[in-house]
Amino acid sequence: MRWRAPWAPRPAAHQAAPLPAGPPSAKSPQRSFTTYTPEAVSSASESEKVILFFHATWCSTCKLLASDIEANAASIPAGVKILKVDYDSETALKQKYGVTLQHTLVQVKPDGSQIAKWSLSRDLNALVKEIR
């Protein structure tokens, strides 16, 4: 194995595979990690699982989880939408779901009703284990 300087870019083989392109189909339900919009929730199908990730730019644990999700985007289960919600600006949404801590995750139905709520998932794996 060759020595590689820590600041040198990693070879392409170590990077996460991109998400499938194109519209979702019956064979491959869409998976995603995107910024929250009300339409992203309301446009979800009943079979999709929508997770609101209340994220603050100043929160180190939020950054770690977001980085892990991005690095492992290909591992997001099919039919799961993870929506990054700005903890500092989405005050009404925080009140609606009783969110008092950044790094809180809330699973919702397409109509916006809450299914589950939890905090401090360390990585994508831990997040996925909490989904109902």
Side-chain angles (χ1 to χ4, degrees):
M1 180 173 198
R2 288 184 55 173
W3 180 83
R4 183 181 57 80
W7 59 85
R10 292 189 178 269
H14 293 290
Q15 295 175 352
L19 292 175
S25 67
K27 284 187 174 181
S28 62
Q30 191 168 7
R31 64 186 102 195
S32 65
F33 179 49
T34 58
T35 302
Y36 165 82
T37 63
E39 297 77 26
V41 175
S42 63
S43 68
S45 70
E46 284 297 322
S47 64
E48 284 182 298
K49 303 197 183 292
V50 179
I51 311 301
L52 304 179
F53 170 25
F54 287 84
H55 177 280
T57 56
W58 45 265
C59 170
S60 59
T61 55
C62 297
K63 289 178 188 177
L64 288 172
L65 178 57
S67 294
D68 188 68
I69 294 169
E70 289 166 356
N72 297 295
S75 298
I76 297 172
V80 171
K81 280 185 171 182
I82 304 170
L83 304 175
K84 193 190 288 188
V85 178
D86 186 321
Y87 179 83
D88 293 318
S89 66
E90 291 289 346
T91 309
L93 212 53
K94 287 190 314 190
Q95 289 176 344
K96 177 177 181 174
Y97 297 111
V99 173
T100 58
L101 173 70
Q102 75 282 0
H103 197 132
T104 297
L105 298 120
V106 180
Q107 184 177 349
V108 298
K109 294 180 181 178
D111 67 3
S113 59
Q114 181 177 317
I115 297 171
K117 179 169 66 172
W118 66 96
S119 297
L120 301 174
S121 291
R122 295 179 184 204
D123 56 25
L124 179 59
N125 254 351
L127 184 158
V128 169
K129 288 179 183 175
E130 296 285 345
I131 297 173
R132 295 185 185 174

